[in-house]
């Protein structure tokens, strides 16, 4: 009995000890649908802050766990699971898709917040959404993804710039593009760094490798963008690059693409065009055979049929390769990437090559002290062609009955021959860019976070041009011969940024908490401009028939220093946020900015914002509701600013005295631009209200927003009236612009099972834009580039200003117009121009769907525009139709629908001479509403088929995962627009042109239709 009691006592003791014993738990977390490992999964001991995180292989180790503990496994997009430990030492689980997406962390400016606690209107695009889509630059990945964010892809040209508009156009002469911030660094984003560059604007994001992107955040309203007050009027796009995570992982991504234009020009061949020539000749009262340009005989014209479009286009072949390394342990986390891209467009000789490297590192010096380093280095080479001399001339002034070659075999240079451009001229932009930042994070006491950052964005940008002496020789005229010409125009930009922030989290009690932020920032950017040139010595800047420099003295000899430009910002900002019971959020922020770009009387601007949100999801009537799972109302009001103007716009300017220029025996200087010491910030006041409403346990997520934005003191770059005696422009604050609109987003998880998921997304936005006032400024002092657009009070910015076309006279085929009073007339008079058409679409948006079955995936994304008009600037030559001697142009085949006999009423008859239209002084003045077309379109932006090799096939190999993707971009476009691609980001001559000419096309280069094969491997 005694022994039995001893045994029983020992059993109780061991049992009690086992209850308090601590053990080590190991395991692996995978995705249930695919079996793939999930890195970054959070494992917490329930009720504590103690936990671990899975590495890149999904493995984790958690020490000091008691059998009575419960482990909580959570990951964005996956359902949270809880597992009791008990006697287990290995706990491996599979997470199921369908978790609480709303708890995703998003960047909001100088910090992060949980998405469920964000008061402003912010949209996030993750790396998964862009990694397999071949886009010219990362901002194009936003197209169709966010309501109110209109992204117009530049064109099918390699490395082309996009046009991004967030909630409409607020500016006229100042920049209308959003501010781009990469890892907290406001980058240099000059679209005209190389001048207008034949309308091929510089792409400030071309150097950024899309494989490096972790996420992109779009800040739309004042609550979200207000912390960047001085530059947030056009919205802010925050780009976060990848950083190291726990574990060791290697990734390799390789893709090959093949592209053709989405639009094949429907122009005439030689016989079709000759038929039009003869008809126009006879319509104008001539007899016999029509005179042909360049005195070409009809026999030669009938026997020559050159397809110029085929000569300047090809199948573009591109490749992208990237290799990355991720490493992380308790103290050190690092990410490194090296990539090489070679992108050819479908235009011959148009190519963009880029090699780039990135290294991001985070190191915990102490438990409360961390240092971070971001560094990237890239070199991009953009081999350009002159689009006017190639793509456009191939459809217009280079006629099908012209031969490329003369009888002796030389290229014929007596007309706009595209082959001369392709063979004897070289254009190239080279950009070496490095973006670097070092940051220090310190927590001196609990909940107080200090952060200091120093960054530099350095750019060496050089424009090269070379022209062979053959250009002169092939004319066969001795006096036209000259030596090879070569030049290079370097620009060196140093953009420094420093900021210091202090954040404090104060939890008063379980229901009340505060989040404080104070900060200061200073930015300074200096640009230096040079030009190296030569006309006589055959300098060898570009691979050509010109010799290279012999020594560095030649660089000095032929260098011309053309100037320096500097701007700086000094900023102070603060933000306080109050949360009550995890339901009510209130936030106020303010920013003071000083800019060297503005006059000494108005250098500083004050930009405050207030916002509020209430989450009804915590109330009983929602928590007990089986249908509604989330209901949140939010609103904000704030003021943001715009300073995107020239660095020296406030200064006056004087002419440089020319040798031999005297007045009363003295050399003189003249004022060519007046100083404006009162030049100040353009400001935008924005009111926003939004409603988030989710259904069926967040299976359906919706968001509805409405906004009103009024821009005041809008910056205007005015032409000087010649009689004033000043030769250049004057910058003033004068106008008011209004934008208002509504936006709607919907995301749904239609089917979620173990093996099959189907999700969809949809967004649509409507914007109304109006120029409220020009502040007494004459609209004649503003223009829209080379296009017939105007600024008119009461109308949208960049309104088409055209003569109204009424109908065709069925008796003679002449066009009939309307005068200003609406009366019909056959006289074309520019005095009868009125604002007409709609430059702003009724709606823009996109939708997509994703299917996932075991290891297979199918994604499709569409973008659309509803309403609005496109003005086809080339139609006046291709449908006009005016032959005008040697200044002749080809004709589109849709001219077949024209007046030929009395009674026809379709399109006007064809003309040999533009003077047949009474009052028309020039072909280029023939701008009327007959060339306005419906801008609506629906485009399949991308469709991708993905296959991940099952894990069982990878066992025993060095690979962790292997995925194959086949995708097609811009495969189908539905549109009624006959003039080319309806997605227009045309050739902008200068900044104001980007704002005032949103719907004007003149033989714009279309988008690329691309097929891509991609392989992604991790090991």
């Amino acid at each position: 009995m005694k022994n039995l009691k001893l045994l029983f006592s020992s059993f109780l003791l061991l049992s009690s000890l086992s209850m308090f014993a601590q053990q080590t738990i190991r395991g692996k977390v995978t995705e249930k649908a695919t079996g793939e490992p999930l890195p970054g999964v959070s494992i917490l001991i329930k009720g504590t802050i103690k936990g671990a995180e899975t590495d890149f292989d999904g493995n984790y180790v958690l020490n000091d766990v008691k059998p009575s503990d419960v482990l909580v496994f959570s990951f964005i997009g996956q359902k949270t699971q809880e597992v009791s430990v008990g006697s287990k030492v290995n706990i491996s689980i599979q997470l199921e898709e369908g978790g609480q997406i709303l708890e995703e962390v998003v960047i909001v400016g100088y910090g992060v917040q949980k998405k469920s606690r964000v008061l402003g209107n912010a949209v996030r695009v993750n790396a998964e959404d862009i990694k397999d889509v071949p886009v010219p630059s990362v901002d194009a990945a936003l197209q169709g993804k966010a309501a109110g964010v209109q992204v117009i892809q530049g064109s099918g040209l390699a490395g082309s710039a996009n046009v991004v508009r967030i909630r409409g156009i607020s500016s006229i002469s100042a920049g209308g593009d959003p501010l781009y911030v990469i890892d907290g660094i406001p980058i240099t984003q000059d679209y005209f760094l190389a001048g207008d560059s034949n309308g091929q604007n510089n792409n400030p994001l071309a150097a950024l490798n899309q494989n490096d992107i972790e996420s992109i955040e779009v800040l739309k309203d004042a609550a979200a963008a207000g912390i960047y007050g001085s530059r947030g009027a056009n919205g802010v796009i925050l780009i976060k690059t990848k950083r190291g995570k726990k574990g060791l992982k290697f990734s390799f991504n390789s893709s090959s693409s093949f592209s053709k234009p989405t639009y094949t020009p429907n122009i005439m061949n030689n016989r079709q065009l000759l038929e039009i020539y003869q008809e126009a000749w006879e319509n104008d009262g001539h007899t016999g055979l029509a005179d042909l340009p360049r005195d070409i005989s009809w026999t030669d014209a009938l026997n020559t049929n050159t397809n110029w479009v085929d000569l300047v286009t090809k199948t573009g072949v591109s490749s992208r390769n990237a290799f990355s390394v991720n490493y992380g342990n308790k103290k050190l986390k690092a990410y490194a990437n090296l990539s090489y891209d070679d992108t050819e467009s479908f235009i011959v000789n148009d190519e963009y090559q880029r090699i780039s490297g990135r290294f991001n590192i985070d190191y915990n010096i102490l438990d409360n002290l961390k240092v971070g380093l971001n560094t990237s280095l890239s070199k991009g080479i953009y081999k350009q062609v002159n689009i006017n001399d190639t793509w456009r001339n191939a459809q217009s002034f280079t006629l099908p009955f012209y031969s490329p070659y003369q009888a002796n075999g030389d290229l014929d240079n007596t007309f706009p021959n595209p082959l001369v451009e392709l063979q004897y001229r070289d254009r190239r932009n080279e950009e070496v860019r490095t973006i670097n930042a070092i940051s220090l994070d310190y927590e001196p006491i609990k909940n107080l976070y200090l952060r200091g950052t120093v960054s530099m964005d350095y750019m060496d940008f050089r424009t090269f041009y070379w022209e062979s002496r053959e250009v002169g020789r092939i004319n066969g005229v001795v006096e036209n011969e000259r030596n090879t010409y070569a030049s290079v125009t370097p620009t060196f930009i140093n953009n420094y940024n420093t900021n210091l922030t202090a954040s404090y989290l104060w939890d008063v009690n379980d229901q009340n908490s505060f989040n404080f932020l104070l900060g200061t920032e200073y930015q300074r950017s200096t640009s230096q401009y040079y030009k190296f040139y030569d006309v006589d010595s055959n300098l060898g800047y570009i691979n050509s028939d010109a010799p290279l420099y012999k020594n560095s003295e030649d660089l000095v000899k032929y260098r011309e220093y053309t100037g320096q430009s500097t701007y700086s910002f000094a900023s102070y900002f603060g933000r306080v946020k109050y949360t009550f019971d995890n339901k009510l959020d209130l936030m106020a922020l303010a920013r003071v900015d000083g800019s060297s770009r503005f006059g000494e009387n108005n250098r500083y601007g004050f930009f405050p914002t207030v916002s509020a949100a209430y989450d009804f999801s915590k109330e009983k009537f929602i928590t007990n509701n089986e249908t509604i799972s989330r209901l949140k109302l939010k609103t904000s009001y704030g003021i943001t600013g715009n300073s995107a103007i020239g660095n020296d716009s406030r200064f006056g300017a004087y002419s440089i005295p020319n040798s031999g220029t005297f007045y009363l025996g003295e050399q003189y200087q003249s004022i060519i631009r007046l100083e404006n010491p009162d030049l100040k910030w353009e400001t935008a006041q924005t009111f926003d209200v939004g409603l988030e409403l989710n259904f069926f346990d967040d299976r359906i997520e919706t968001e509805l927003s409405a906004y009103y934005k009024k821009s005041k003191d809008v910056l205007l770059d005015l032409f000087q009236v010649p009689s004033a005696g000043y030769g250049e422009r004057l910058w003033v604050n004068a106008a008011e612009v209004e934008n208002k609109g509504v936006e709607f987003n919907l995301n749904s998880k239609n089917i979620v099972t173990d093996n099959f998921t189907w999700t969809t997304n949809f967004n649509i936005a409507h914007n109304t834009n109006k120029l409220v006032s020009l502040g007494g400024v004459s609209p004649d002092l503003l223009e829209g580039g080379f296009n017939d657009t105007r600024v008119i009070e009461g109308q949208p910015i960049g309104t088409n200003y055209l003569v109204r076309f009424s109908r065709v006279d069925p008796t003679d085929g002449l066009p009939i117009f309307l005068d200003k009073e609406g009366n019909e007339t056959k006289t074309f008079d520019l005095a009868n121009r009125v604002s007409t058409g709609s430059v702003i679409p009724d709606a823009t948006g996109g939708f997509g769907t994703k299917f996932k079955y075991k290891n297979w995936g199918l994604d499709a994304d569409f973008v659309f525009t509803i309403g609005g008009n496109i003005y086809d600037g080339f139609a006046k030559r291709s449908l006009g139709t005016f032959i005008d001697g040697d200044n002749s142009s080809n004709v589109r085949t849709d001219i077949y629908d024209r007046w030929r006999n009395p009674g026809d009423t379709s399109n006007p008859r064809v003309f040999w001479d533009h003077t047949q239209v009474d009052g028309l002084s020039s072909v280029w003045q023939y701008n009327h509403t007959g060339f306005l077309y419906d801008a609506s379109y629906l485009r399949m932006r991308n469709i991708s088929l993905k296959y991940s090799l099952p894990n069982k096939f990878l066992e025993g190999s060095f690979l962790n995962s292997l995925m194959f993707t086949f995708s097609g971009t811009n495969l189908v476009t539905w549109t009624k627009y006959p003039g080319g691609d309806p997605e227009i980001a045309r050739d902008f001559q200068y900044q104001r042109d980007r704002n005032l000419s949103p719907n004007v096309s003149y033989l714009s280069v279309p988008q690329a239709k691309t097929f891509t094969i991609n392989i992604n491997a991790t090991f």
Side-chain angles (χ1 to χ4, degrees):
M1 186 68 179
K2 186 177 180 179
N3 292 335
L4 182 60
K5 288 183 178 180
L6 180 62
L7 181 62
F8 182 70
S9 300
S10 301
F11 175 77
L12 291 176
L13 178 62
L14 290 172
S15 298
S16 61
L17 288 174
S18 66
M19 290 178 63
F20 296 98
Q22 295 182 334
Q23 58 198 68
T24 298
I25 304 296
R26 289 180 170 82
K28 184 171 185 176
V29 183
T30 56
E31 186 179 25
K32 188 172 184 179
T34 63
E36 294 180 358
L38 286 175
V41 175
S42 173
I43 304 103
L44 286 176
I45 298 175
K46 191 172 183 178
T48 74
I49 60 173
K50 185 178 179 181
E53 184 180 283
T54 58
D55 61 20
F56 285 106
D57 297 322
N59 298 314
Y60 74 93
V61 177
L62 185 57
N63 296 315
D64 301 329
V65 182
K66 294 181 292 186
S68 58
D69 287 337
V70 175
L71 303 187
V72 180
F73 296 80
S74 61
F75 189 68
I76 294 173
Q78 307 289 326
K79 290 182 178 179
T80 299
Q81 288 191 34
E82 296 184 2
V83 179
S84 298
V85 175
S87 60
K88 305 182 189 76
V89 294
N90 187 296
I91 301 178
S92 296
I93 68 166
Q94 291 184 323
L95 291 183
E96 184 178 344
E97 189 173 358
Q100 178 56 275
I101 299 292
L102 294 169
E103 291 306 303
E104 180 180 11
V105 173
V106 298
I107 308 171
V108 293
Y110 306 98
V112 297
Q113 291 180 9
K114 289 184 177 180
K115 185 173 175 61
S116 61
R117 301 258 62 89
V118 171
L119 279 70
N121 205 310
V123 179
R124 179 187 178 98
V125 176
N126 292 307
E128 286 295 317
D129 297 317
I130 66 174
K131 69 176 185 178
D132 298 323
V133 182
V135 291
S137 61
V138 295
D139 50 346
L142 296 170
Q143 189 179 48
K145 301 292 186 182
V149 182
Q150 185 182 19
V151 180
I152 306 172
Q153 290 203 20
S155 68
L157 296 173
S160 59
N162 304 308
V163 176
V164 180
R165 292 291 178 262
I166 298 177
R167 292 185 165 181
I169 302 172
S170 302
S171 302
I172 295 177
S173 299
D177 295 271
L179 172 70
Y180 291 100
V181 180
I182 300 177
D183 290 330
I185 306 169
I187 65 168
T188 300
Q189 55 181 91
D190 187 348
Y191 295 90
F192 299 91
L193 197 58
D196 78 0
S197 194
N198 188 37
Q200 299 169 62
N201 301 156
N202 179 58
N203 185 351
L205 297 177
L208 187 61
N209 173 22
Q210 73 183 74
N211 285 288
D212 286 340
I213 304 303
E214 180 71 30
S215 66
I216 305 173
E217 318 276 353
V218 183
L219 311 183
K220 297 192 289 184
D221 69 338
I227 197 65
Y228 293 99
S230 62
R231 288 160 283 180
N234 299 313
V236 181
I237 294 180
L238 306 180
I239 299 173
K240 180 184 178 184
T241 61
K242 295 177 180 177
R243 308 198 71 81
K245 298 179 181 179
K246 189 175 180 181
L248 177 63
K249 179 181 179 181
F250 301 91
S251 297
F252 177 71
N253 188 283
S254 180
S255 67
S256 297
S257 300
F258 307 89
S259 65
K260 299 289 282 187
T262 56
Y263 166 77
T264 301
N266 54 340
I267 53 177
M268 293 187 168
N269 61 29
N270 64 331
R271 292 183 178 271
Q272 293 169 329
L273 186 58
L274 289 171
E275 179 185 338
I276 291 292
Y277 267 57
Q278 188 62 33
E279 183 179 329
W281 177 263
E282 295 174 2
N283 281 347
D284 284 12
H286 301 291
T287 59
L289 291 176
D291 293 339
L292 299 183
R294 301 175 57 243
D295 297 324
I296 291 178
S297 70
W298 271 76
T299 299
D300 288 342
L302 287 168
N303 292 327
T304 304
N305 185 28
T306 306
N307 190 324
W308 291 101
V309 173
D310 277 358
L311 291 179
V312 302
T313 59
K314 61 174 184 175
T315 298
V317 180
S318 305
S319 63
R320 295 183 176 186
N321 297 279
F323 178 77
S324 64
V325 180
N326 290 268
Y327 174 76
N329 57 32
K330 185 177 181 180
K331 279 189 168 290
L332 175 68
K333 291 184 175 64
Y335 168 84
N337 181 280
L338 180 65
S339 69
Y340 176 73
D341 296 358
D342 187 352
T343 304
E344 291 182 354
S345 82
F346 49 78
I347 304 289
V348 175
N349 289 355
D350 184 74
E351 183 177 8
Y352 183 77
Q353 297 172 319
R354 179 189 64 207
I355 184 169
S356 63
R358 172 171 294 277
F359 183 59
N360 294 345
I361 187 171
D362 297 291
Y363 182 71
N364 294 319
I365 302 173
L366 302 170
D367 290 342
N368 62 343
L369 181 63
K370 183 178 75 171
V371 63
L373 172 68
N374 305 340
T375 183
S376 66
L377 176 64
S378 66
K379 180 175 183 178
I381 302 175
Y382 185 9
K383 300 176 181 178
Q384 291 183 316
V385 295
N386 188 308
I387 297 304
N388 284 324
D389 291 345
T390 52
W391 174 257
R392 290 191 176 123
N393 280 341
Q395 301 171 68
S396 55
F397 302 118
T398 309
L399 303 180
F401 45 75
Y402 291 175
S403 173
Y405 300 96
Q406 300 179 24
N408 63 359
D410 282 342
L411 284 175
D412 193 338
N413 198 26
T414 59
F415 65 92
N417 188 342
L419 296 189
V420 173
E421 165 70 18
L422 295 178
Q423 294 188 27
Y424 294 127
R425 293 189 180 98
D426 239 335
R427 305 167 194 269
R428 187 171 78 225
N429 290 336
E430 291 190 5
E431 175 186 327
V432 176
R433 189 170 192 174
T434 179
I435 301 177
N436 308 275
I438 185 168
S439 61
L440 196 66
D441 292 271
Y442 179 51
E443 187 182 3
I445 61 175
K446 185 179 180 180
N447 292 335
L448 176 61
Y449 303 93
L450 304 180
R451 181 178 177 84
T453 302
V454 179
S455 64
M456 179 190 70
D457 177 5
Y458 173 78
M459 183 186 301
D460 178 339
F461 188 91
R462 307 189 184 206
T463 299
F464 297 80
Y465 177 77
W466 167 80
E467 183 177 287
S468 170
R469 69 181 69 209
E470 291 293 303
V471 174
R473 187 193 66 77
I474 60 178
N475 280 337
V477 181
V478 175
E479 52 266 32
N480 286 344
E481 294 185 18
R482 62 181 175 82
N483 290 332
T484 294
Y485 173 77
S487 71
V488 58
T489 306
T491 301
F492 307 105
I493 301 176
N494 285 284
N495 182 2
Y496 299 96
N497 186 279
T498 61
N499 65 66
L500 177 65
T501 62
S503 301
Y504 183 69
L505 307 179
W506 179 29
D507 293 327
V508 182
N509 50 43
D510 291 342
Q511 288 189 319
N512 298 276
S513 63
F514 290 88
N515 187 334
F516 300 94
L517 171 73
L518 287 175
T520 181
E521 184 172 21
Y522 179 76
Q523 181 180 5
R524 181 178 179 86
S525 179
T526 301
S527 303
Q528 293 179 306
Y529 308 97
Y530 296 85
K531 185 173 185 179
F532 300 100
Y533 61 94
D534 180 69
V535 178
D536 301 317
S537 300
N538 302 331
L539 306 183
Y541 290 107
I542 298 177
N543 294 331
S544 66
D545 55 358
L548 296 173
Y549 279 124
K550 294 181 180 178
N551 54 59
S552 60
E553 292 180 1
D554 291 323
L555 291 173
V556 178
K557 180 180 178 181
Y558 296 104
R559 181 179 70 185
E560 175 186 335
Y561 178 67
T562 59
Q564 176 175 301
S565 181
T566 300
Y567 72 85
S568 59
F569 288 95
S571 309
Y572 312 92
F573 52 88
R575 180 174 64 203
V576 57
K577 182 180 177 184
Y578 167 71
T579 300
F580 172 73
D581 199 22
N582 219 22
K583 300 176 185 178
L584 174 67
D585 289 293
L586 301 175
M587 186 176 72
L589 65 87
R591 181 167 176 135
V592 175
D593 277 286
S595 172
S596 63
R597 288 173 172 168
F598 296 113
E600 58 187 17
N601 299 333
N602 293 295
R603 184 140 307 164
Y604 285 88
F606 177 62
F607 307 98
T609 296
V610 292
S611 53
Y614 193 86
D615 190 352
F616 293 91
S617 306
K618 312 299 181 182
E619 302 291 348
K620 289 183 179 180
F621 75 93
I622 296 294
T623 56
N624 296 330
N625 193 305
E626 295 183 358
T627 302
I628 300 176
S629 53
R630 181 173 179 80
L631 176 61
K632 181 179 179 180
L633 182 66
K634 55 187 179 182
T635 185
S636 67
Y637 171 80
I639 301 174
T640 50
N642 188 4
S643 60
I645 60 174
N647 297 337
D648 305 315
S649 301
R650 66 184 176 93
F651 293 110
Y654 296 83
S655 65
I656 299 174
N658 296 318
S659 177
T661 302
F662 294 89
Y663 180 74
L664 298 179
E666 299 290 336
Q667 286 188 330
Y668 68 89
Q669 286 182 311
S670 62
I671 300 174
I672 59 176
R673 187 178 68 215
L674 286 174
E675 181 181 6
N676 184 0
D678 295 320
L679 194 67
K680 60 184 178 181
W681 296 87
E682 175 180 302
T683 60
Q685 300 178 18
T686 305
F687 173 74
D688 183 280
V689 60
L691 176 68
E692 298 177 15
L693 184 60
N694 295 359
F695 303 92
F696 309 116
D697 195 24
D698 297 332
R699 291 284 293 271
I700 299 176
E701 302 173 352
T702 68
E703 183 172 358
L704 178 66
S705 301
Y707 62 90
Y708 176 82
K709 180 166 68 173
K710 190 169 187 177
S711 299
K712 294 185 176 182
D713 299 319
V714 172
L715 291 157
L716 301 178
D717 183 12
L718 304 180
F719 288 108
Q720 297 288 297
V721 178
S723 60
Y726 310 121
E728 288 196 4
R729 294 178 166 87
L730 173 68
W731 280 91
V732 299
N733 300 93
E736 292 186 3
V737 177
E738 179 184 87
N739 282 278
K740 53 186 177 181
V742 293
E743 304 164 350
F744 178 71
N745 286 283
L746 183 148
N747 298 298
S748 65
K749 304 180 184 74
N750 307 310
I751 300 175
V752 179
T753 65
D754 291 347
N755 292 324
F756 179 71
T757 60
W758 173 34
T759 62
T760 53
N761 63 82
F762 171 81
N763 71 82
I764 189 170
H766 167 74
N767 172 265
T768 300
N769 176 271
K770 183 173 71 173
L771 175 62
V772 177
S773 169
L774 270 175
V777 171
S778 170
D780 293 332
L781 300 181
L782 294 159
E783 66 171 12
F786 294 159
N787 309 290
D788 210 355
T789 59
R790 290 292 185 273
V791 287
I792 302 173
E793 291 182 349
Q795 300 294 327
I797 293 175
T799 294
N800 297 122
Y801 198 57
L802 306 168
V803 174
R804 288 172 291 177
F805 174 81
S806 178
R807 61 188 178 90
V808 173
D809 188 333
T811 61
D812 56 14
L814 288 172
I816 299 176
F817 310 99
L818 297 179
D819 63 18
K820 280 210 167 182
E821 287 70 37
N823 302 312
E824 290 193 336
T825 176
K826 285 189 176 181
T827 300
F828 184 86
D829 189 347
L830 292 178
N832 289 325
R833 289 177 296 173
V834 297
S835 59
T836 185
S838 175
V839 298
I840 307 296
D842 296 326
T844 60
F847 58 92
T849 185
K850 293 185 177 183
F851 298 94
K852 193 171 185 180
Y853 176 70
K854 293 185 177 180
N855 296 83
W856 292 90
L858 179 64
D859 301 350
D861 291 301
F862 297 79
V863 295
F864 63 83
T865 289
I866 301 173
N869 293 113
I870 296 172
Y871 180 69
D872 186 359
F874 180 62
K876 55 192 169 189
R877 293 307 310 257
S878 63
L879 300 178
T881 299
F882 307 101
I883 307 305
D884 278 356
D886 281 352
N887 189 26
S888 299
S889 175
N890 207 335
V891 179
R892 292 210 306 252
T893 55
D894 40 328
I895 204 173
Y896 282 137
D897 186 20
R898 66 184 182 275
W899 185 94
R900 297 186 185 184
N901 302 294
D904 293 344
T905 59
S906 49
N907 289 311
R909 76 187 198 195
V910 293
F911 303 92
W912 184 264
D913 190 335
H914 70 268
T915 59
Q916 293 294 315
V917 178
D918 185 40
L920 184 61
S921 60
S922 165
V923 174
W924 301 110
Q925 298 294 325
Y926 195 49
N927 295 313
H928 63 70
T929 58
F931 307 133
L932 271 177
Y933 297 93
D934 184 2
S936 301
Y937 74 89
L938 171 64
R939 166 165 281 165
M940 181 185 285
R941 172 60 72 195
N942 186 73
I943 184 168
S944 300
L945 178 64
K946 304 177 182 180
Y947 178 70
S948 296
L949 207 63
N951 290 336
K952 63 181 180 180
F953 293 110
L954 301 177
E955 292 178 1
S957 72
F958 66 94
L959 292 174
N960 290 331
S961 67
L962 183 63
M963 175 183 285
F964 302 91
T965 304
F966 178 73
S967 62
T969 305
N970 300 328
L971 298 187
V972 184
T973 304
W974 294 270
T975 181
K976 293 182 180 179
Y977 174 55
D981 195 319
E983 186 177 353
I984 298 170
R986 47 165 303 282
D987 52 326
F988 301 107
Q989 279 76 43
Y990 39 82
Q991 182 56 62
R992 183 170 64 251
D993 200 18
R994 286 176 68 88
N995 298 327
L996 266 63
S997 302
N999 75 328
V1000 179
S1001 174
Y1002 184 84
L1003 293 176
S1004 300
V1005 179
Q1007 301 289 317
K1009 180 185 296 184
T1010 306
F1011 295 93
T1012 303
I1013 300 173
N1014 186 85
I1015 300 175
N1016 184 273
T1018 63
F1019 48 95

